[in-house]
Amino acid sequence: MAKAIENEMFKFEHLYVLDDKSMGALLREVDSDALIAALKGIAEDLREPFFRSMSARAADGIRDEINARGRMKMAEVIEAQKAMITAARRLAAEGVIVFGAGDDDYV
């Protein structure tokens, strides 16, 4: 039950709102095959936060790879997205990235 709740707390959609610095840190941790599979499963407009954090050349290469890949099983896409979430949670625990920074002031 605890694992199910934990899995619901962090979804792939939470990665869309990471700032560019945090997204860059995450992308350096994720294997390119996992990134390609994870992005293949989402709409093109939702891929932009990931591409913004890459060089234009790298983003074009990932786009080409996504387009070149044939059909993928949804289970493969979900597994790749879970790998990215796991990496993001680890980086958040290490203090490298921050989820939900919001507009609140902190001291």
Side-chain angles (χ1 to χ4, degrees), residues 6 9-11 14-15 18-19 21-27 29-30 83-101:
E6 190 175 305
M9 288 175 53
F10 296 101
K11 295 189 174 256
H14 291 119
L15 301 181
L18 289 176
D19 61 72
K21 182 180 174 186
S22 296
M23 183 66 78
L26 174 62
L27 293 177
E29 293 291 315
V30 176
M84 289 188 69
I85 294 166
T86 300
R89 289 178 56 199
R90 183 177 43 77
L91 290 172
E94 294 171 359
V96 176
I97 66 174
V98 177
F99 282 106

Side-chain angles (χ1 to χ4, degrees), residues 15-89:
L15 301 181
Y16 303 159
V17 296
L18 289 176
D19 61 72
D20 290 344
K21 182 180 174 186
S22 296
M23 183 66 78
L26 174 62
L27 293 177
R28 285 188 293 277
E29 293 291 315
V30 176
D31 178 65
S32 63
D33 284 335
L35 176 63
I36 293 164
L39 295 182
K40 180 118 174 124
I42 62 174
E44 270 189 58
D45 60 322
L46 297 176
R47 297 175 186 162
E48 285 310 309
F50 297 92
F51 294 142
R52 266 197 322 261
S53 299
M54 300 178 192
S55 68
R57 182 175 169 216
D60 288 342
I62 296 293
R63 283 185 187 102
D64 290 344
E65 285 291 325
I66 290 170
N67 292 331
R69 288 219 176 156
R71 294 175 47 170
M72 293 184 70
K73 293 181 181 178
M74 191 57 153
E76 293 174 26
V77 170
I78 292 170
E79 194 61 36
Q81 290 177 350
K82 284 181 182 179
M84 289 188 69
I85 294 166
T86 300
R89 289 178 56 199

Side-chain angles (χ1 to χ4, degrees), residues 1-15:
M1 178 100 153
K3 188 71 170 169
I5 292 171
E6 190 175 305
N7 288 337
E8 289 299 314
M9 288 175 53
F10 296 101
K11 295 189 174 256
F12 192 74
E13 293 80 19
H14 291 119
L15 301 181

